[in-house]
Every structure is written in structure tokens, then in C-alpha cells.
């Protein structure tokens, strides 16, 4: 407690002592640089200065002053005396007036115009403005004339310790590797002080740690933070909170201070090996699991993080090293055990593996700490599954002769159930692979038999699929391909490779080769083909031709004599027997046609027909046929042309006297007038009530005869013209014989019930002479002209 009281007293008196030391010299400041001082009353002597003296003598300043200072943040009951201005021209009378101008003149700084004393009227802050530039001048009080040129001077604001240090960039975050040695650099902090770094110790900072010991330390002057405790373990504590203090006045008592925080995080290094959570793992797997499927996971935990925690897994021992494999899950860092080869419960029911987990990235600084790996034992139990049948061979190859008997056994397939229960097996043929059903199989023992005859020359290979199914579980099915090769037997006789026709020149020589023929055999003997050629027994002594077997299995036909003539015999037929070397041998007889031809002296065939021989003009039969074909083609063209001309002259439209299908019907004669009622059925038009039955159309001639259609219902009395026309329109629309074009329809009916009566004289029983038209004149002016016309007519008749 006494120490604390002493510290408080020191903090209180120290600023006062400093203030007294700073202010005292400024108040009692003496002039240092004096100008040349003229004697008192020397104003007359000043007037006597000549021009030569003005030129030769340098005019010295007449101010008596020094640089001035004022303490910042100082306030008192009266303004602060900053300094005093004085000139040697001042004799002590009141004739000189001091004037002050510049920064803060009149507001911050005020001068006594008589004494030259300058006072500060306000509290000053050096951090806002460190110095002020002002101008002083001495003038005559009466005339205001300057006694000497104005001069500038500076008032500096002296600093006091009124600003505490600040950490502008705080709070801070830093990292350092775990397990670092003492003195490892962590980070550096920086504090700033707004006070004057030149004057006094107000801006001299000293750094210290308030919180964070004993783990970290800081350099007092450089503010470098370092580790102070060795082997700090991230796995034990990862983050540290450190408080740093910066204090001015060199760290002495009474100085101001500021603090900041530094969060220091230990980064990870690989100082921990992986460790399995358990030393023994148990897994079970079905024997029919697919290859590559995961059957279990193991986990080796590592206290490190990131790259330092990554591990790789391997199987280092065990009886299933070739059956299983282990890989690393990049996301979870688990070891995934998978199946590499098929499992068989009946063969092996369990496996034991030794698995190792090792770090991928090892820090050599910590190798001395021990191996960075761990091992665990894995036991895998294989469980029985209902497996499909297994064939004794993955594929089968069978051979059968093409002359094998129907229902003969050509081979057998076998399969068994690998399960302990050993279900019976049934065999079948996938008929999609045997569409012609040439084979059958015994469902019990798998013997394959022949169902239809085989022909190697048609199909040498047959590929079928055999299906094996468990009788207890029909879903368990296996398939195996069976290739059946059909073996050859000598069942085809040899024959000519092509239809040969030999040509013999009339001027040929005896022994000349007429033709070389070859034979083919559809069979395929093991030692290749060997053919024997011979003539029919009755043709052995053929006087015209003979044969000769060549080494290349071909036959040459030779002429025995010369002097062949087309006129004598044009064609010769030579039967030849061809036999193979099979067992039993097969043979066939092929006939060679030999045609006698005319040849040039070089033996080139020119003509082989008798007609060509007898034609004197030298035209061949082919040329004659071509000429005849051209003549026939010309005749056909002429006939077609004549036929087209005849059809063109005929009219395209057949006129018929009874065909009245015209849009407009014209009548050139005037007829018999109103009394002629024979041309049209006027009664029908005038009496719609009489419409019964079918009314044939007169404007067309129908091609087909239709049954009379049912007539419409009688029209009641009093029907008007509009309804009558609609009835006729409906009939025309429904008439199947109606033309697809417009036609003129004439309607003489005018309707009933008109008060004026009918104007038509068709039904009138009286003649025009019996009618009296005098009433027209009574109808008014509009009908006057009509009445005059009819009156004129009557008068004409009388005359």
C-alpha cells in the first residue's frame, strides 16, 4: 500500500515539475541577436546619412528577439505570455507602435502595441498545429509610417505528454508451429504516439506483456513477440490470448499506455502417429459378393490434422493377401477392405489379415519419437450363399461327322451345385441359339444328341448355349457356350469347276490342246483333293479326241487328228468321268462341248457358226439379228404415231343430242307466246300442292338411274314464294343427279293471297279482248301511263 501511494504522488507531481521547467525559460527569455543600436536622440543623426553611406553600409535589422515557444494545453486565469518584441529604435517613449500579423494574429496571439508583449489567448494543441508563422512590424504611432521593414518569426508549440500510445493495426492474429523451440519468432506489433518524438520522452515507447506469460515474451523496444516455453503441444492447447502494453515516457512512472491483444494459434506438425481404435476387427461377407465391393472399414485415428493426419493402409500379412485389398478413403481417411478375387465358402470359410496404417507425410524432426504407423488384425468370415450351378468347363468343343445318325450322342456337358446342399441340375438348350432345333439334350445327364441331319457343306459350325438350372431354386441358372464342329465325309462327287465349252480350229494340228478343264469337290479331305479323269468305256477309243491328266490336278483335252470341218460336224460332245480319292470314292460324269470354228492362220477363232460360213456377204448372224431388231423398232414407232394422230383428231367431248348439261339453255325461236304451254309444266310451278313423288331434273342427263325418292310433304295453302324457293333449293341440294355447276331455274309461281291478284294471264280463261283496263286510270297518276297504253291497244284492235 505505501508503494501504491508513492506511485500516485509521483504521477501527480511529475507533470507539474516538467511544466515549470518548460515555462520558466520562455517567460524570462533574453534577446540573443541585437542589431546595431543607435544612440538615444539619434533621429537627427539618422537623417544625416548620405547616399554613399546607404550604399556602402548594410542595413541591419533593428529587432531584438529570439525564437518563441509556448506550452501546449496550458491554461490559466490570465493569458500566457509567449514573448516580447523590442526594437532598438524604441527610446522608451510611446511614439512606436507594434503591429502583429500572420497565423492566429489577433485571435490566438495578441500583442501589446506599446510594450511588444505577445500573449496566447487560447489553449494550443501541438497535435493540431505545431508552429505558427507571424510577421512583426514597428510603425510610428502618429503617422503609422513603418520605421523598418516587417520581419517574420515563428512561435512553436512545445509538446507535453497528453497522448497515449495506440495500436492502429490491432487486434493481431499470429501463428507459430507447435513444438517450437524457445525464442521462435511469432509476430511483431507496432504502437504509435501522437506526441513529439523529438522533444522529451513523450513518444518514447516501451512494450511489455500483461497476459500470455510464461508462453510468450516480447522485446521491450522492438515489440517482437517470441515463444518463451518449449514444446507447446497443439493437441493440448491450440490457441493463446496475449495482451501487449505500450507505455511512453520510456516506460517510467507517469507515462501513458495503450494495450492490444494478439491471438496466437499453434499450427500443426506431424508429431503424432496414427492409432487404430481397436486392435481386432471382425467382418462377414457372402461368398457371392461382387468383385470390388467393400466388405468393411477400419480406422486409424491421428491427433494431427490436415496433411499430417493422412495415412495409407496396406495388408502386410495374412492368408488372404491375394483375395482382398485395402484402399484409403480420401474424405474420411478410413481403410476400405474390398474383394479382389471370387470367394468360395465350400473351399475356405474364413481369412485373417494384418493391416497397417502409416502416415504419408513424416516430419524428420520427430522421427526419433517412434514409428509413425500402427497395425491391427482383421478377421473375415465367408458366409454360404445359394450359388448357381458350375459347369466342368467354361466352354465345350464337340465334333460330329456330317453323316451321324439321328438321335446319336455327339457329346456331353456336366455341371454341379457348389453349395453344401447340392441341388440336382437340369439341362436345356437355349433355343435362341438353335433356331432350327438340330440338337437335343438330356435334361438329367447333359448328353447332347442330333435331332436333324447335318451337312458340313451348308454349315460347318454350330454354336449353341446350354443352360443348367437348379431344381430346388429355378432362379439359380448358369450358361455355357458349346461349339459343335461338323466333320466332313466323302458324300459329294467332283464336277467341273465351271461350264466349259471348247473351241476347235478347222486347221488345227493333231495333238493340239483344245481345252484345259479343272474340277471341284464340295468335300474337304484331310490330304487335299486328288481327281482321276477318264472317258466313258464306250468312248475310250474315240477317234477324234483324247485326254491327258496334268500334275496340277487339271485335265487337258487334245485333238487326235486334223481336218475338222464345220460343214461335216459343227459340235462334238465328250463325256468325261471325274472321280475323287475319298473312301468310298465318288464320281460324276460331265460332258464337254467342243465346237468347230474357223480360225486364222495364227489360231485365233473367227467364226463358229455354219450360217456364217455359207453367207457370201460376210455378215454374221448377230449382225442380221441387230438389223432385224432395228426394223421392228421402226415399225412400232410408226404404228404408235398413226394411232396418236387418230386419237388426236377425235373430239374430246362426245356430243349427245340428249345431253343438256349446259349452264345456260338458249332458245332461238320465240315459241307460241303465252298460249304455248307445252314447253314447260306450268301447272307444277303454279300448284306446289301437287308435288308428289319424284320429279326428274331436265337440265342434266344422269348416267345412272336412281329409284324415285320420297317426295316432300304437301305444301299447305297460303305458302309464299320464299318458302317455295327454299323447298326447291333443298331438293336440288339433295338430288344425286344434280350437276356440280350452276344452272338457271325458272319459277312461274307467284304465290297466293295477293290483294291485287295475279298479273299473269297463264291461268286466265278470258282473252285480252275481254279484259277491261279502265280501272288502271283510277289507281292514280303512277298508273295513268299504263292505262293509256292498254286503252290504245284496245282501240287498235277495234280498228
Amino acid at each position: 500500500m505505501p508503494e501504491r501511494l508513492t506511485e500516485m504522488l509521483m504521477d501527480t507531481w511529475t507533470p507539474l515539475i516538467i511544466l515549470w521547467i518548460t515555462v520558466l525559460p520562455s517567460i524570462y527569455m533574453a534577446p540573443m541577436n541585437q542589431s546595431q543600436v543607435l544612440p538615444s536622440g539619434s533621429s537627427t543623426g539618422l537623417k544625416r546619412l548620405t547616399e554613399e553611406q546607404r550604399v556602402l553600409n548594410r542595413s541591419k535589422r533593428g529587432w531584438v528577439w529570439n525564437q518563441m515557444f509556448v506550452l501546449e494545453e496550458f491554461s490559466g486565469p490570465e493569458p500566457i505570455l509567449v514573448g516580447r518584441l523590442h526594437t532598438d529604435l524604441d527610446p522608451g517613449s510611446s511614439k512606436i507602435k507594434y503591429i502583429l500579423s500572420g497565423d492566429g494574429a489577433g485571435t490566438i496571439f495578441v500583442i501589446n502595441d506599446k510594450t511588444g508583449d505577445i500573449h496566447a489567448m487560447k489553449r494550443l494543441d501541438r497535435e493540431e498545429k505545431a508552429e505558427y508563422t507571424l510577421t512583426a512590424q514597428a510603425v510610428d504611432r502618429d503617422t503609422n509610417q513603418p520605421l523598418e521593414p516587417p520581419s517574420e518569426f515563428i512561435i512553436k508549440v512545445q509538446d507535453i505528454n497528453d497522448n497515449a500510445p495506440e495500436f492502429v493495426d490491432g487486434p493481431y492474429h499470429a501463428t507459430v508451429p507447435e513444438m517450437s523451440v524457445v525464442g521462435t519468432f511469432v509476430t511483431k506489433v507496432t504502437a504509435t504516439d501522437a506526441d513529439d518524438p523529438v522533444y522529451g520522452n513523450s513518444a518514447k515507447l516501451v512494450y511489455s506483456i500483461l497476459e500470455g506469460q510464461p508462453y510468450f515474451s516480447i522485446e521491450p523496444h522492438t515489440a517482437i513477440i517470441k515463444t518463451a516455453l518449449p514444446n507447446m503441444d497443439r493437441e493440448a492447447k491450440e490457441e493463446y490470448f496475449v495482451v501487449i502494453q505500450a507505455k511512453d515516457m520510456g516506460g517510467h512512472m507517469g507515462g501513458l499506455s495503450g494495450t492490444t491483444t494478439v491471438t496466437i494459434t499453434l499450427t500443426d506438425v506431424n508429431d503424432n502417429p496414427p492409432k487404430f481404435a481397436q486392435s481386432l476387427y471382425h467382418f462377414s461377407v457372402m461368398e457371392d459378393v461382387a468383385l470390388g465391393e467393400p466388405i468393411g472399414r477400419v480406422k486409424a485415428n491421428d491427433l494431427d490434422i490436415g496433411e499430417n493426419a493422412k495415412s495409407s493402409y496396406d495388408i502386410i500379412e495374412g492368408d488372404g493377401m491375394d483375395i482382398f485389398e485395402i484402399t484409403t478413403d480420401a474424405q474420411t481417411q478410413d481403410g476400405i477392405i474390398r474383394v479382389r478375387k471370387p470367394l468360395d465358402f465350400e473351399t475356405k470359410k474364413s481369412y485373417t489379415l494384418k493391416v497397417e496404417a502409416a502416415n504419408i507425410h513424416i516430419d524428420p524432426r520427430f522421427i526419433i519419437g517412434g514409428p509413425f504407423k500402427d497395425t491391427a488384425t482383421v478377421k473375415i468370415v465367408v458366409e454360404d450363399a445359394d450359388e448357381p450351378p458350375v459347369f466342368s468347363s467354361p466352354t465345350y468343343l464337340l465334333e460330329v461327322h456330317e453323316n451321324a445318325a439321328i438321335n446319336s450322342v455327339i457329346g456331353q456337358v456336366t455341371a454341379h451345385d457348389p453349395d453344401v446342399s447340392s441341388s440336382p441340375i437340369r439341362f436345356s438348350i437355349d433355343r435362341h441359339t438353335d433356331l432350327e432345333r438340330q440338337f437335343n439334350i438330356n435334361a438329367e445327364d447333359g448328353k447332347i444328341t442330333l435331332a436333324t441331319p447335318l451337312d458340313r457343306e451348308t454349315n460347318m459350325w454350330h454354336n449353341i448355349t446350354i443352360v443348367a438350372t437348379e431344381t430346388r431354386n429355378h432362379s439359380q441358372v448358369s450358361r455355357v457356350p458349346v461349339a459343335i464342329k461338323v466333320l466332313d465325309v466323302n458324300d459329294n462327287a467332283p464336277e467341273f469347276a465351271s461350264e466349259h465349252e471348247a473351241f476347235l480350229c478347222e486347221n488345227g494340228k493333231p495333238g493340239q490342246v483344245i481345252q484345259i478343264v479343272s474340277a471341284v469337290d464340295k468335300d474337304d479331305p484331310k490330304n487335299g483333293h486328288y481327281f482321276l479323269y477318264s472317258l466313258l468305256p464306250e468312248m475310250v477309243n474315240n477317234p477324234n479326241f483324247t485326254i491327258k491328266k496334268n500334275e496340277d490336278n487339271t485335265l487337258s483335252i487334245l485333238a487326235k487328228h486334223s481336218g475338222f470341218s464345220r460343214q461335216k460336224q459343227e459340235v462334238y460332245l465328250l463325256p468325261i468321268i471325274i472321280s475323287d480319292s475319298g473312301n468310298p470314292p465318288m464320281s460324276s460324269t460331265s460332258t464337254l462341248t467342243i465346237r468347230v470354228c474357223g480360225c486364222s492362220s495364227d489360231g485365233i477363232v473367227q467364226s463358229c457358226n455354219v450360217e456364217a460360213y455359207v453367207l457370201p456377204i460376210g455378215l454374221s448372224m448377230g449382225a442380221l439379228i441387230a438389223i432385224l431388231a432395228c426394223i421392228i423398232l421402226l415399225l412400232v414407232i410408226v404404228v404408235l404415231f398413226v394411232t396418236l394422230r387418230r386419237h388426236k383428231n377425235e373430239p374430246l367431248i362426245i356430243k349427245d343430242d340428249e345431253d343438256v348439261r349446259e349452264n345456260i339453255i338458249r332458245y332461238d325461236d320465240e315459241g307460241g307466246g303465252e298460249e304455248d304451254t307445252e314447253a314447260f309444266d306450268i301447272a307444277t310451278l303454279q300448284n306446289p300442292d301437287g308435288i308428289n313423288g319424284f320429279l326428274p331434273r331436265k337440265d342434266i342427263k344422269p348416267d345412272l338411274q336412281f329409284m324415285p325418292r320420297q317426295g316432300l310433304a304437301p305444301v299447305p295453302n297460303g305458302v309464299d314464294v320464299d318458302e317455295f324457293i327454299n323447298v326447291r333449293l333443298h331438293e336440288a341440294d339433295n338430288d344425286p343427279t344434280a350437276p356440280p355447276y350452276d344452272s338457271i331455274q325458272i319459277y312461274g309461281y307467284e304465290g297466293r293471297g295477293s290483294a291485287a291478284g295475279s298479273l299473269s294471264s297463264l291461268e286466265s280463261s278470258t282473252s285480252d279482248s275481254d279484259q277491261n283496263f279502265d280501272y288502271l286510270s283510277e289507281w292514280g297518276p303512277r298508273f295513268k301511263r299504263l292505262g293509256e297504253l292498254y286503252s290504245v291497244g284496245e282501240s287498235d284492235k277495234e280498228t
Side-chain angles (χ1 to χ4, degrees), residues 12 129 150 243 313 409 417 464 576 723 753 768:
T12 303
K129 191 172 181 63
V243 178
Y313 295 86
V409 178
D417 184 5
I464 63 175
I576 299 175
E723 184 178 355
D768 293 339

Side-chain angles (χ1 to χ4, degrees), residues 45-116:
L46 183 61
K47 294 178 181 178
R48 294 174 185 170
L49 290 175
T50 63
E51 288 295 328
E52 295 178 359
Q53 290 175 325
R54 293 178 184 273
V55 173
L56 296 175
N57 296 331
R58 180 173 63 87
S59 177
K60 294 184 179 181
R61 297 185 58 173
W63 290 106
V64 182
W65 65 333
N66 196 2
Q67 191 176 35
M68 300 181 184
F69 297 90
V70 60
L71 194 66
E72 70 166 333
E73 301 294 346
F74 182 82
S75 62
E78 295 181 358
I80 305 171
L81 178 63
V82 178
R84 177 177 295 172
L85 297 179
H86 184 71
T87 178
D88 54 359
L89 298 179
D90 188 1
S93 62
S94 300
K95 292 184 178 182
I96 296 179
K97 179 181 178 181
Y98 296 95
I99 299 175
L100 184 67
S101 63
D103 293 342
T107 56
I108 300 176
F109 302 103
V110 177
I111 189 171
N112 189 324
D113 58 353
K114 295 181 179 180
T115 64

Side-chain angles (χ1 to χ4, degrees), residues 355-367:
V355 179
E356 179 184 77
N359 278 147
I360 299 176
H361 306 285
I362 298 177
D363 194 333
R365 295 176 299 172
F366 305 103
I367 292 180

Side-chain angles (χ1 to χ4, degrees), residues 268-448:
D268 185 59
V269 298
N270 192 11
D271 58 340
N272 295 282
K275 185 71 176 176
F276 281 104
Q278 56 194 70
S279 59
L280 180 62
Y281 293 85
H282 292 275
F283 300 107
S284 61
V285 59
M286 300 297 293
E287 62 173 333
D288 58 351
V289 65
L291 298 183
E293 283 292 319
I295 63 173
R297 290 173 175 257
V298 295
K299 174 72 173 179
N301 298 315
D302 196 324
L303 297 178
D304 298 321
I305 59 174
E307 294 292 326
N308 297 322
K310 290 185 177 181
S311 300
S312 62
Y313 295 86
D314 291 297
I315 300 175
I316 58 176
E317 292 181 12
D319 53 0
M321 296 181 63
D322 58 338
I323 305 297
F324 302 95
E325 65 179 358
I326 187 169
T327 58
T328 304
D329 189 333
Q331 299 296 329
T332 62
Q333 291 298 308
D334 293 345
I336 306 174
I337 301 175
R338 304 177 187 270
V339 179
R340 292 178 57 187
K341 294 183 179 180
L343 301 177
D344 187 7
F345 172 79
E346 290 73 23
T347 303
K348 190 172 181 59
K349 297 179 175 58
S350 65
Y351 297 89
T352 301
L353 307 175
K354 189 173 183 180
V355 179
E356 179 184 77
N359 278 147
I360 299 176
H361 306 285
I362 298 177
D363 194 333
R365 295 176 299 172
F366 305 103
I367 292 180
I368 192 173
F372 283 80
K373 55 187 175 181
D374 193 18
T375 59
T377 302
V378 178
K379 288 186 175 294
I380 301 173
V381 177
V382 180
E383 296 182 358
D384 189 23
D386 192 2
E387 300 175 272
V390 178
F391 284 95
S392 59
S393 175
T395 58
Y396 290 87
L397 175 61
L398 305 180
E399 294 182 348
V400 57
H401 288 89
E402 59 179 326
N403 61 349
I406 302 300
N407 295 327
S408 60
V409 178
I410 62 176
Q412 183 180 11
V413 296
T414 58
H416 70 282
D417 184 5
D419 298 325
V420 178
S421 58
S422 186
S423 173
I425 307 298
R426 290 187 63 84
F427 298 95
S428 61
I429 297 177
D430 185 354
R431 291 303 177 182
H432 292 90
T433 61
D434 184 25
L435 298 177
E436 298 180 357
R437 295 182 175 269
Q438 287 191 299
F439 304 97
N440 291 325
I441 189 170
N442 190 306
E444 303 297 333
D445 56 11
K447 291 182 179 180
I448 302 173

Side-chain angles (χ1 to χ4, degrees), residues 447-522:
K447 291 182 179 180
I448 302 173
T449 58
L450 186 63
T452 59
L454 300 174
D455 186 8
R456 189 201 67 84
E457 288 72 33
T458 302
N459 195 351
M460 184 176 177
W461 286 94
H462 297 271
N463 296 300
I464 63 175
T465 300
I466 303 300
V467 180
T469 307
E470 289 186 9
T471 57
R472 297 176 184 173
N473 186 0
H474 291 175
S475 64
Q476 297 298 329
V477 177
S478 296
R479 298 171 180 269
V480 67
V482 178
I484 302 175
K485 182 180 181 180
V486 181
L487 303 179
D488 183 50
V489 296
N490 193 23
D491 57 348
N492 292 280
E495 56 187 8
F496 281 149
S498 61
E499 293 293 335
H500 292 286
E501 184 177 13
F503 299 95
L504 174 63
C505 293
E506 289 181 315
N507 56 357
K509 300 178 181 180
Q512 180 180 356
V513 176
I514 301 173
Q515 183 74 31
I516 298 177
V517 297
S518 60
V520 294
D521 193 336
K522 294 181 180 179

Side-chain angles (χ1 to χ4, degrees), residues 167 171-176 181-190 207-228 232 240-245 260-265:
F167 291 90
Y172 296 86
H173 295 270
T175 59
V176 64
V181 298
V182 175
T184 301
F185 174 84
V186 178
T187 187
K188 180 179 180 180
V189 297
T190 302
Y207 298 90
S208 61
I209 291 182
L210 300 182
E211 294 183 20
Q213 295 176 335
Y215 305 104
F216 300 96
S217 62
I218 188 169
E219 291 287 340
H221 301 290
T222 61
I224 296 176
I225 302 174
K226 301 179 179 180
T227 58
M232 286 187 289
Y240 294 85
F241 190 76
V242 179
V243 178
I244 304 297
Q245 174 184 266
T260 188
T261 59
V262 182
T263 302
I264 301 175
T265 303

Side-chain angles (χ1 to χ4, degrees), residues 618-630:
L619 293 176
S620 64
M621 183 62 68
L624 292 176
I625 294 174
I627 295 173
L628 183 60
C630 293

